[in-house]
Amino acid sequence: MPVLNSIPRCVGSGLFGAGVLFAVPGPCLAASQAPVIQLPGLTFRGDSTSITIILLLTVLTLLPAILLSMTPFVRILVIFHFLRQALGTQTAPTNQTLIGLGLFLTYFIMQPVGAAINQQALVPFESGRITSWQALARCSVPLRHFMLAYTREKDLALFVEMSKEPRPQKPEDLSMRVVVPAYILSELKTGFQIGAVLFLPFLVIDLVTASVTTSIGMLQLPPVVISTPLKILLFVVADGWNLVVGSMMKSFHY
């Protein structure tokens, strides 16, 4: 008991409810002395280590959403989906193969943006010249510049109007709240446009095959059974993967 009495005790009101006693090996930090971080609608109070851990776990949780919403990953997957549907191969290549290829293509496109983020935000943060919040603000600058290069003005105007924000003097003044959803809409539209173009030659093969099989009376054999090998053969002879991936990568002229 004398040992316990010599250890300062703090009354906590966190996850375990008010009135819980915590035995700590050093002097207690008063609530008024703890750093406070305020966000829109949220207030965090605690030491820098706990806040850093919370932010790190939050970023790791939101990483898939960030990858989908702020990179070309959306366009790439939409194009691959339409290509597989046009070929008539429902499970070849597999989803894992297409996602893996999409991830590496996304890394290839975003590598200059990642290098800019590292130079402008991560290096100063590691050297202690800026805080974590300043590093986060600097990270958004290259990402915003990249997304604005592929976002339609119509989509930006839509979300500026819905957000009730004042009209900016230049696109770089737009907040990420407006840029990110507008970028996703633009990427979806572009992906569907490219997918529709990919469908056209394979659709012609389907129509010709259906007409031939119907005219010669081959009604018991579905036309898709004949057209699918023809489409795969055409795609292989034309070196389709090289053409599709090359054209898709050239569309990102950033």
Side-chain angles (χ1 to χ4, degrees):
M1 292 300 295
V3 176
L4 293 177
N5 292 332
S6 63
I7 298 176
R9 294 171 179 262
C10 298
V11 179
S13 59
L15 297 176
F16 299 99
V20 180
L21 295 179
F22 298 93
V24 296
C28 298
L29 179 65
S32 60
Q33 298 177 354
V36 178
I37 294 180
Q38 293 183 349
L39 295 175
L42 297 174
T43 301
F44 298 97
R45 183 184 298 274
D47 55 37
S48 58
T49 303
S50 61
I51 293 175
T52 302
I53 294 175
I54 292 174
L55 291 177
L56 179 60
L57 294 177
T58 303
V59 170
L60 291 177
T61 304
L62 298 177
L63 189 59
I66 295 174
L67 178 64
L68 287 173
S69 59
M70 304 175 71
T71 65
F73 194 62
V74 174
R75 184 194 301 190
I76 293 172
L77 280 190
V78 169
I79 294 174
F80 283 163
H81 171 75
F82 277 105
L83 176 61
R84 191 168 63 178
Q85 293 294 322
L87 286 172
T89 56
Q90 302 299 326
T91 57
T94 61
N95 291 332
Q96 291 82 356
T97 303
L98 294 181
I99 291 175
L101 179 58
L103 286 174
F104 279 103
L105 293 179
T106 301
Y107 167 76
F108 184 87
I109 297 170
M110 296 297 294
Q111 195 276 333
V113 180
I117 293 175
N118 179 69
Q119 187 66 27
Q120 299 177 17
L122 298 183
V123 172
F125 175 70
E126 290 177 353
S127 60
R129 288 178 289 172
I130 59 175
T131 63
S132 57
W133 294 106
Q134 292 173 336
L136 184 62
R138 292 191 181 187
C139 286
S140 64
V141 176
L143 283 174
R144 183 187 292 110
H145 181 63
F146 173 83
M147 289 187 290
L148 288 174
Y150 304 103
T151 306
R152 299 185 306 164
E153 294 184 3
K154 182 178 181 180
D155 296 328
L156 290 173
L158 172 64
F159 286 98
V160 168
E161 180 182 359
M162 295 178 62
S163 63
K164 307 298 182 181
E165 293 185 1
R167 187 178 183 86
Q169 297 181 353
K170 53 184 179 179
E172 287 73 14
D173 296 334
L174 290 170
S175 63
M176 298 295 283
R177 174 192 176 196
V178 172
V179 175
V180 173
Y183 172 75
I184 296 175
L185 287 185
S186 299
E187 287 294 279
L188 287 175
K189 177 179 175 59
T190 304
F192 272 74
Q193 288 176 338
I194 298 175
V197 173
L198 286 175
F199 247 108
L200 293 179
F202 300 109
L203 180 61
V204 172
I205 296 177
D206 287 332
L207 292 176
V208 171
T209 304
S211 300
V212 171
T213 55
T214 303
S215 61
I216 63 178
M218 295 180 58
L219 302 179
Q220 296 180 352
L221 186 64
V224 68
V225 176
I226 302 176
S227 64
T228 298
L230 295 177
K231 290 187 290 185
I232 295 175
L233 179 61
L234 175 65
F235 189 73
V236 172
V237 171
D239 198 5
W241 284 110
N242 184 277
L243 292 176
V244 172
V245 174
S247 301
M248 183 170 52
M249 299 296 286
K250 291 177 182 178
S251 66
F252 294 96
H253 54 81
Y254 174 75

